[in-house]
Amino acid sequence: PPAALVAALLAIDPKGLGGVWLRARHGPMRDVISNHLEAIPGTHGRVMPESGETDLFGGMDLSESLIRGRLIERRGVLSSRDVLWLTRAERLPVRLAAQIARELDAGMSGAIVLCDESAEADEAPPTVLRDRLAFFLCDKADCSAEPAFSEEEIRNAHHRIASVTVDDHHLRLATWIAAELGCRGSRPALFVIRAARALAALSGGVCV
């Protein structure tokens, strides 16, 4: 099942795979996909298009500080969660998207779920974020409600993935496929390799 498999791979290697662009309107299929993604272990936080820098990075809570008469610091959602949900991502300001992209490039350890509720074909979340996520899911996917793997299998694969190797043949193959498909930059090939390593770890293998 695509959504269940994506959730499992993100649980195994969230930093390496970045996250998933979920393009889905409200409905039963979106609920099924979201349930799989919400099962990714860790603390889940949410950011909306109107969120400010304090919501993301933390800092002084001005209103609370004025009420209490002393400095009140608030933790940002980026430092207090393992999975970040960006709701109504098609309305996300480019500046905010760029700030989150910088955190991803700096090694942010959690996965991102880019929730796209676009009604029109020409609407989409900012490219700067879409390009940094390994997976795409939509509400037309054929998804089962059942998980693809048990929590124990995912936990074991998460511990095992660091020892999974990739030989030169598969590295060249991933690069060649990305080039043949017209992909720009190195990220697509790296995502393929990361996903292949996570799948190998799930199967108990030591190499792709």
Side-chain angles (χ1 to χ4, degrees), residues 10-82:
L10 287 177
I12 294 166
D13 188 10
K15 183 176 179 179
L17 295 170
V20 55
W21 171 18
L22 171 58
R23 189 178 182 109
R25 304 284 287 173
H26 287 286
M29 188 52 65
R30 172 174 159 169
D31 292 341
V32 170
I33 296 172
S34 295
N35 287 341
H36 284 301
L37 298 174
E38 286 169 357
I40 297 174
T43 304
H44 291 236
R46 294 185 182 273
V47 170
M48 296 177 288
E50 57 270 22
S51 297
E53 292 188 11
T54 303
D55 298 311
L56 285 175
F57 304 103
M60 183 183 73
D61 189 321
L62 181 59
S63 59
E64 282 296 311
S65 297
L66 290 173
I67 291 171
R68 301 190 187 188
R70 59 186 175 85
L71 180 64
I72 302 296
E73 295 281 346
R74 182 154 56 102
R75 290 188 69 191
V77 68
L78 288 180
S79 63
S80 60
R81 55 88 223 127
D82 302 295

Side-chain angles (χ1 to χ4, degrees), residues 79-91:
S79 63
S80 60
R81 55 88 223 127
D82 302 295
V83 182
L84 181 65
W85 291 70
L86 302 179
T87 61
R88 305 197 313 277
E90 73 281 0
R91 302 180 185 179

Side-chain angles (χ1 to χ4, degrees), residues 68-180:
R68 301 190 187 188
R70 59 186 175 85
L71 180 64
I72 302 296
E73 295 281 346
R74 182 154 56 102
R75 290 188 69 191
V77 68
L78 288 180
S79 63
S80 60
R81 55 88 223 127
D82 302 295
V83 182
L84 181 65
W85 291 70
L86 302 179
T87 61
R88 305 197 313 277
E90 73 281 0
R91 302 180 185 179
L92 197 69
V94 174
R95 181 181 59 81
L96 193 61
Q99 290 175 316
I100 297 171
R102 281 198 297 270
E103 292 298 308
L104 279 169
D105 292 344
M108 189 172 75
S109 59
I112 282 182
V113 180
L114 200 61
C115 298
D116 178 4
E117 301 175 18
S118 300
E120 304 297 333
D122 59 348
E123 290 182 314
T127 304
V128 70
L129 281 178
R130 300 197 322 259
D131 285 352
R132 285 166 168 78
L133 310 180
F135 301 112
F136 172 79
L137 289 172
C138 69
D139 51 10
K140 295 179 176 59
D142 182 15
C143 296
S144 167
E146 298 300 318
F149 302 93
S150 69
E151 291 182 10
E152 183 178 4
E153 288 176 310
I154 292 173
R155 185 167 54 251
N156 290 340
H158 177 72
H159 293 305
R160 189 184 300 122
I161 190 172
S163 62
V164 174
T165 61
V166 188
D167 61 30
D168 289 343
H169 166 72
H170 287 98
L171 290 173
R172 288 194 298 270
L173 182 61
T175 304
W176 178 81
I177 290 172
E180 285 294 299

